[in-house]
Amino acid sequence: MLIGIVLALPLISINMQQRPQESHWLVKPFSMLGSAVSETFFGFSHGVKDTTAMYLDLINIKKQSADLHSTNNELQSRLQSMNELQIENDRLRGLLEFKQTTKMKLTSAQVIGRDLVIDHNTITINKGTQDGLKGGMAVITTKGVLGYIFKPEPFTAHVMLITDRYAVVDGIVQRTRAHGIVEGKSQTSCSLKYVERTEDVKEGDLVVTGGLDNIFPKGFPVAIVESVERKTFSVSLKVDLRPVVDPYKVEEVFIIVDSAKEDFADKYAPQAAADAVVPNATPGTDAPAVNQTPASATPTLVKPAVTPSPTASATATPKPEVKKSPTPAASPKTEEKQQ
């Protein structure tokens, strides 16, 4: 120990002679080694700390993402339910307004089944004989004719759609008042039979109910003319129709218990008037009502196309028009009786 002390004294004395801010050359290697070790340890500990924090953050982010995804799905489900309720509310409000604004006696029902047999086009509703329904009652929606009841049961009833090949409805071309019989053709179309070849029927014309037998209200929309064909050796036109109401999208219907001689011609009159103005303003059209009357009677001819009653229309027009109008009206009745 004494020898070590004696040997260390010169080194201590030399170190004491150095300025305090300067390090001895013997200490520098040890200080550099120590700083490198401390820096390495600090970098390693800092990396471990950052990695651990990032891992914990990823776990929290994953949990938050799962929570947000679950909340988003729940909100989307609620939004879809709200949209469905709003659509149903608007549809039911329309049904209520239709029932309140008409003088017909109606019974509402829901569609609970559809016929899958291709040979027939029918639907099933949740009302039957216990609710006062009978066979032959008309079934409509707020937009147009759907069909009529053909097989009532105690708590349900089968409705034959107008697209069924056995279904027939009395129809009138709204623009020209040409009579015919609407018969089913396929699942999405029907045809207008027994329309005389001389009648003016064009693509886009609206076919409405004629109101015979007081089953359907008069002037209610049935179908729209898709095509008209005049065959060479036929006395009647071949008219293809597209129903106004898509029977495969109907959810609620009305059964007409008593039509009370309701007439919807006034409600759909603006469309008929707009169609009637075109032939009167354009020269060279093939509308018989315009060609057979003088120019002075043109303003009067627009009204008969709008007025609901065919009798009033015949009274307002001149004699050539009166002679022609009973012919198409009587032809469908005779053909229907023969059928």
Side-chain angles (χ1 to χ4, degrees), residues 280 287-301 316-321:
N280 291 335
V290 179
N291 294 335
Q292 295 179 2
T293 52
S296 58
T298 303
T300 312
L301 289 176
T317 52
K319 290 183 179 181
E321 187 64 18

Side-chain angles (χ1 to χ4, degrees), residues 90-160:
D90 295 339
R91 189 173 63 249
L92 294 178
R93 185 185 291 111
L95 294 174
L96 181 61
E97 291 177 356
F98 180 82
K99 189 173 183 179
Q100 291 177 347
T101 54
T102 182
K103 61 183 180 181
M104 295 187 297
K105 185 177 180 182
L106 303 174
T107 299
S108 60
Q110 288 185 338
V111 179
I112 59 174
R114 304 183 189 279
D115 198 346
L116 300 178
V117 181
I118 302 178
D119 193 37
H120 295 286
N121 297 330
T122 62
I123 59 174
T124 305
I125 57 178
N126 64 342
K127 296 291 180 67
T129 55
Q130 297 290 337
D131 303 289
L133 303 188
K134 301 177 181 179
M137 286 186 173
V139 180
I140 63 173
T141 65
T142 56
K143 297 181 179 180
V145 174
L146 185 64
Y148 49 83
I149 297 175
F150 78 101
K151 188 179 179 183
E153 295 180 357
F155 301 101
T156 60
H158 296 280
V159 178
M160 179 178 292

